[in-house]
Amino acid sequence: MWDYSEKVKEYFFNPKNAGVLDDANAIGEVGAIACGDALKLMLKVNTDTHVIEDARFQTFGCGSAIAASSALTELIIGKTVDEARKLTNRDIADFLDGLPPEKMHCSVMGAEALAAAVASYRGEAVDDDDHEDGALVCKCFGVDEGMLGRAIRTNKLTTLEQVTFYTKAGGSCATCHEAVEEVLAATNADMVAAGELLPGEAFTARAATAPAPAPAARMASAPITIAPPKPKASATPAQPGAAAGLTPAQEILAIGRVIDEMRGTFKADGGDVSLVDVSGDLILVHLTGTCAGCQLAGATLGGVQARITSTLGRPVRVVPVQQV
Amino acid sequence: MQPIYLDNNATTRTDPRVVEAMLPYFTEQFGNASSMHAFGADVGAAVGAARHSLQALLGAEFDHEVVFTSGGTESDNTAILAGLRVMPDRNEVVTSTVEHPAVLSLCDWLERNEGVVVHRIPVDSQGRLDIDAYRAALSDRVAVVSLMWANNETGTIFPVEGLADLAKEVGALFHTDAVQAVGKVAINLKDTAIDMLSLSGHKLHGPKGIGALYVRRGTRFRSLVRGGHQERGRRAGTENVPGIVGLGRAAELAAAYMADETTRVRDLRDRLEQGLLQRIGNCFVTGDPLDRLPNTANVAFEYIEGEAILLLLNKAGIAASSGSACTSGSLEPSHVLRAMDVPFTAAHGAIRFSLSRETTAPEIDRVLEEMPPIIARLRELSPFWTDGTPTADAFNPAYA
Ligand SMILES: Cc1ncc(COP(=O)(O)O)c(C=O)c1O
Ligand code: FES
């Protein structure tokens, strides 16, 4: 059982400002049911004074997620939008007398929802597909560079584990570890330059002994071209589909069939899957709807992977990518 | 208000009769079973008697087929490693996607560090093993098959007797993790082709830190722990005599209460499940409805998160558990529910109630009273739920 502070328990068992705010004029929604937590923050802002007159929340998540959401509303009611915008996830955690380290992402979720609500109030469209806030770094939990940078700076994070505790990034399939570490190293370097961090504390990119990045790890940022796979020279020993006796073109068709057959599973969860490209052992697919940014999709993709592996008679990896 | 303990798949209360049987072995009967004097002889006899009790519970042909270990985890590790070592010309292991970490973590390690080929057989949405995939994975390259008798999260039972026969056809050893099954389902090992079976004391009202590995007579074997000649050289180290005596007593009691588990406890479990389904919408039972442990109910509640449910249950004096990510400190929901493709609208809200022979009808009735308001309250808080209906579609996250 978690070691929650009395304040966390109080705000979980008797949350303040829970429920729908009917006359809200600013709403921030973050998270997803698939990721295990989600928060809808509703604000009623006085359009003359820009004072947040009321705030309510609805949260799907664990005890600390609910407590952090409630704490957030308490912190912002009565403040102007500009004042509220200055709050960080640390203010939420401090208000609750701290959160277990593994649960700090609950406070970050609050801060992100506030940012989204303020953006919506100001009419700044936050387009979820574009990821204007920097490139998407962790696909499993939908964490982009902007969110990583804010969490790292605000909380002076210097290890991958801390970043996972605060943002969840890297907490599932682990293919983004390399990319998260790059953002961590770059942000720490900036912080050192700004005098916010001692040089000795900063995270530096992996030592030379680190293994070469796996192809899947680079997939997140590498542009994907939709092209038929190049036919392999017949001398290549590991000829695709050799065991099943398929030509590359037949392989593509077979893969397409498997994915079509399995779309039902994804659709049942409110999402969809489509084939992007086949490249050697890698089968790149695009996930949409609730499936995107979800670690459960990983399990379902494991099923797709097993089916394709047995259809082709050779082991393959199915990797979700952002479509370009 | 008496707390209600419905987390018996995690661990059980040590039966007071077990404690009573153990106590003398901490005090007067402190001898070492290997010693050549009276102190040792009495203790040796007690260890022998405990072995007999386990033999009876398992329906084993010989008492010396029972090897005492430190618990389920050690038994699982020993069985798989022994299987690989006695078959040096075979380099593959067959297991499932829903095993306990005592098996899965070892297999991951063997795959990464020892070059062992591991086949993880998938399950369907009810947690049943994909038999075709299992057949396909079997070959004369497989040293050992390890498949659990009953799943700790959903209670789903694998047809291990038949699975063992299939393994024999390719000459592989067959091990089963029966930690959750022993004492809850009838087991008669002498009529099966099962070579090795793991069990654990603390899951059957015995003490923690003691367990056993059944090794069929004639099965080639390698000890995991090397040292003295205890357990016929199959598990070195001075015996945990109080633990062994306690496990023996627990096995006797489990045999005596088996009928209770499969009738009264099953009825209580069914009453709990039916009651929850009737009183609460948008929830369903996970696992194989037809072939499950009689004591386990795993119910997935949509649009809410398991840890929050457990915290409110705990406040109401009810102990259960959840496969939710948040309770374990990991960020992913249970590998078992993921392997079963439980939709993620519900996977985070799955609650396991595991009963025991100590569970009573008034306890179940109280859970049935307490649960509906807890679920209703959390759904009211959920952005995916409005006025009694799910509204997941109306949620449009900005950054996710
Ligand atoms: C199916 C299963 N196998 C193995 C174990 C591990 O047993 P032990 O705790 O005795 O090591 C458990 C208990 O957590 C279990 O449920
Ligand atoms: S954990 Fe980050 S992409 Fe999977």
Side-chain angles (χ1 to χ4, degrees):
Chain A
M1 185 131 291
W2 296 106
D3 190 10
Y4 285 137
S5 72
E6 287 307 313
K7 203 83 175 271
V8 172
K9 289 184 206 157
E10 182 189 324
Y11 273 80
F12 168 67
F13 287 122
N14 298 301
K16 299 196 174 72
N17 309 317
V20 176
L21 184 59
D22 284 325
D23 49 354
N25 57 357
I27 291 180
E29 296 179 330
V30 291
I33 202 164
C35 300
D37 45 26
L39 163 57
K40 177 173 184 174
L41 178 68
M42 292 152 274
L43 309 181
K44 189 181 148 204
V45 187
N46 183 317
T47 47
D48 296 328
T49 60
H50 305 301
V51 168
I52 299 171
E53 292 178 340
D54 202 357
R56 296 269 177 89
F57 75 92
Q58 284 184 303
T59 294
F60 163 84
C62 56
S64 50
I66 289 169
S69 308
S70 181
L72 169 66
T73 56
E74 289 280 277
L75 279 166
I76 59 176
I77 292 175
K79 288 202 169 62
T80 65
V81 168
D82 283 340
E83 287 164 355
R85 190 65 189 83
K86 294 202 187 86
L87 289 172
T88 68
N89 72 288
R90 292 177 62 129
D91 297 311
I92 298 173
D94 290 347
F95 181 88
L96 291 169
D97 296 334
L99 285 169
E102 297 87 342
K103 295 284 191 174
M104 284 301 289
H105 59 83
C106 296
S107 69
V108 172
M109 179 169 76
E112 294 290 313
L114 176 60
V118 169
S120 103
Y121 173 70
R122 291 179 176 159
E124 302 160 3
V126 187
D127 192 327
D128 39 326
D129 288 330
D130 272 7
H131 284 284
E132 287 179 296
D133 214 7
L136 186 67
V137 180
C138 176
K139 296 183 299 296
C140 290
F141 291 106
V143 182
D144 56 36
E145 269 179 12
M147 176 171 167
L148 281 179
R150 282 190 294 278
I152 293 168
R153 269 181 192 278
T154 308
N155 302 284
K156 289 200 166 63
L157 309 182
T158 55
T159 66
L160 176 63
E161 185 192 54
Q162 284 176 337
V163 175
T164 303
F165 285 168
Y166 279 71
T167 65
K168 296 188 163 193
S172 183
C173 73
T175 51
C176 63
H177 282 186
E178 197 101 5
V180 172
E181 286 183 345
E182 274 170 31
V183 177
L184 180 60
T187 312
N188 276 185
D190 289 350
M191 291 161 70
V192 171
E196 294 165 21
L197 198 66
L198 294 176
E201 290 169 353
F203 178 87
T204 43
R206 277 189 203 199
T209 51
R218 277 189 257 118
M219 228 30 91
S221 46
I224 307 300
T225 46
I226 303 172
K230 295 172 208 72
K232 291 274 187 317
S234 49
T236 318
Q239 194 180 353
L246 299 180
T247 67
Q250 287 170 327
E251 276 206 335
I252 294 261
L253 288 176
I255 294 166
R257 266 197 305 276
V258 172
I259 289 180
D260 272 349
E261 281 164 24
M262 308 239 353
R263 279 175 73 190
T265 314
F266 288 85
K267 287 192 167 154
D269 288 338
D272 206 349
V273 60
S274 58
L275 180 62
V276 174
D277 195 6
V278 178
S279 157
D281 287 347
L282 284 181
I283 304 206
L284 309 177
V285 298
H286 180 57
L287 296 174
T288 46
T290 24
C291 294
C294 152
Q295 79 281 16
L296 279 175
T300 319
L301 285 180
V304 177
Q305 179 167 306
R307 287 274 302 274
I308 296 178
T309 297
S310 74
T311 306
L312 303 189
R314 65 182 175 98
V316 295
R317 300 231 321 115
V318 173
V319 182
V321 293
Q322 290 294 115
Q323 199 141 20
V324 286
Chain B
M1 187 175 58
Q2 273 292 106
I4 298 175
Y5 185 75
L6 294 181
D7 200 10
N8 288 282
N9 286 12
T11 196
T12 54
R13 186 170 82 110
T14 314
D15 193 295
R17 290 163 285 187
V18 169
V19 177
E20 195 188 334
M22 291 170 72
L23 285 176
Y25 294 88
F26 288 107
T27 51
E28 309 94 71
Q29 304 276 23
F30 60 84
N32 185 325
S34 310
S35 304
M36 296 307 293
H37 45 61
F39 291 90
D42 290 351
V43 167
V47 169
R51 210 183 298 282
H52 249 98
S53 305
L54 277 160
Q55 177 199 355
L57 181 65
L58 298 177
E61 196 166 356
F62 305 100
D63 63 352
H64 63 252
E65 291 174 326
V66 175
V67 180
F68 291 110
T69 67
S70 68
T73 304
E74 183 190 323
S75 296
D76 287 345
N77 274 255
T78 305
I80 293 170
L81 291 170
L84 281 164
R85 282 180 199 160
V86 299
M87 300 226 197
D89 52 337
R90 294 177 178 225
N91 190 36
E92 296 187 7
V93 173
V94 174
T95 184
S96 80
T97 50
V98 297
E99 300 295 312
H100 190 270
V103 168
L104 282 183
S105 306
L106 174 69
C107 287
D108 290 349
W109 182 84
L110 287 168
E111 189 173 51
R112 245 182 294 117
N113 300 301
E114 307 282 297
V116 171
V117 177
V118 178
H119 302 269
R120 297 173 186 80
I121 309 302
V123 297
D124 69 7
S125 60
Q126 301 190 331
R128 296 175 300 200
L129 196 75
D130 179 341
I131 305 287
D132 290 336
Y134 175 56
R135 278 180 195 277
L138 289 174
S139 74
D140 59 9
R141 299 183 301 277
V142 176
V144 57
V145 174
S146 182
L147 291 168
M148 67 205 314
W149 200 306
N151 187 272
N152 43 306
E153 288 189 31
T154 63
T156 299
I157 292 175
F158 281 165
V160 281
E161 291 104 326
L163 300 174
D165 290 337
L166 289 175
K168 291 290 103 179
E169 285 175 14
V170 298
L173 287 170
F174 189 89
H175 164 253
T176 181
D177 176 341
V179 165
Q180 294 292 346
V182 172
K184 296 175 203 153
V185 297
I187 294 179
N188 202 10
L189 285 172
K190 57 179 169 300
D191 296 338
T192 73
I194 294 167
D195 297 301
M196 293 181 277
L197 173 147
S198 301
L199 65 89
S200 176
H202 71 102
K203 308 281 184 183
L204 46 140
H205 302 279
K208 294 170 180 57
I210 188 75
L213 178 65
Y214 161 89
V215 185
R216 178 178 297 276
R217 188 168 100 149
T219 304
R220 285 190 296 152
F221 186 77
R222 289 278 189 290
S223 176
L224 179 70
V225 183
R226 282 158 202 287
H229 295 294
Q230 293 88 354
E231 299 296 289
R232 296 174 157 226
R234 291 171 301 178
R235 206 287 190 172
T238 298
E239 299 85 347
N240 171 3
V241 175
I244 290 171
V245 170
L247 177 56
R249 186 76 182 107
E252 283 170 25
L253 292 168
Y257 280 98
M258 180 86 81
D260 182 62
E261 286 274 354
T262 52
T263 54
R264 194 189 61 89
V265 175
R266 179 189 294 272
D267 288 348
L268 287 179
R269 190 275 313 269
D270 291 347
R271 175 158 155 187
L272 173 64
E273 273 179 4
Q274 292 311 317
L276 289 174
L277 295 179
Q278 270 165 21
R279 289 171 172 76
I280 300 170
N282 289 80
C283 67
F284 55 89
V285 173
T286 73
D288 186 349
L290 301 175
D291 199 10
R292 272 185 307 153
L293 290 177
N295 79 317
T296 307
N298 189 308
V299 185
F301 299 93
E302 289 190 290
Y303 308 109
I304 47 179
E305 201 282 324
E307 186 208 273
I309 303 174
L310 291 184
L311 288 170
L312 291 173
L313 274 175
N314 184 53
K315 200 170 178 222
I318 298 166
S321 77
S322 133
S324 125
C326 294
T327 49
S328 59
S330 99
L331 293 167
E332 300 183 292
S334 115
H335 69 285
V336 176
L337 299 181
R338 279 183 290 141
M340 290 162 58
D341 272 343
V342 172
F344 46 72
T345 46
H348 290 282
I351 300 292
R352 178 187 71 186
F353 299 95
S354 44
L355 288 61
S356 84
R357 63 192 191 219
E358 299 183 345
T359 307
T360 64
E363 289 180 329
I364 296 301
D365 290 342
R366 226 188 81 214
V367 175
L368 288 176
E369 260 169 52
E370 299 278 0
M371 274 302 274
I374 288 177
I375 302 299
R377 174 168 170 187
L378 290 173
R379 283 189 176 153
E380 235 165 79
L381 281 176
S382 170
F384 304 117
W385 192 267
T386 314
D387 299 332
T389 43
T391 48
D393 294 345
F395 188 81
N396 292 305
Y399 294 157

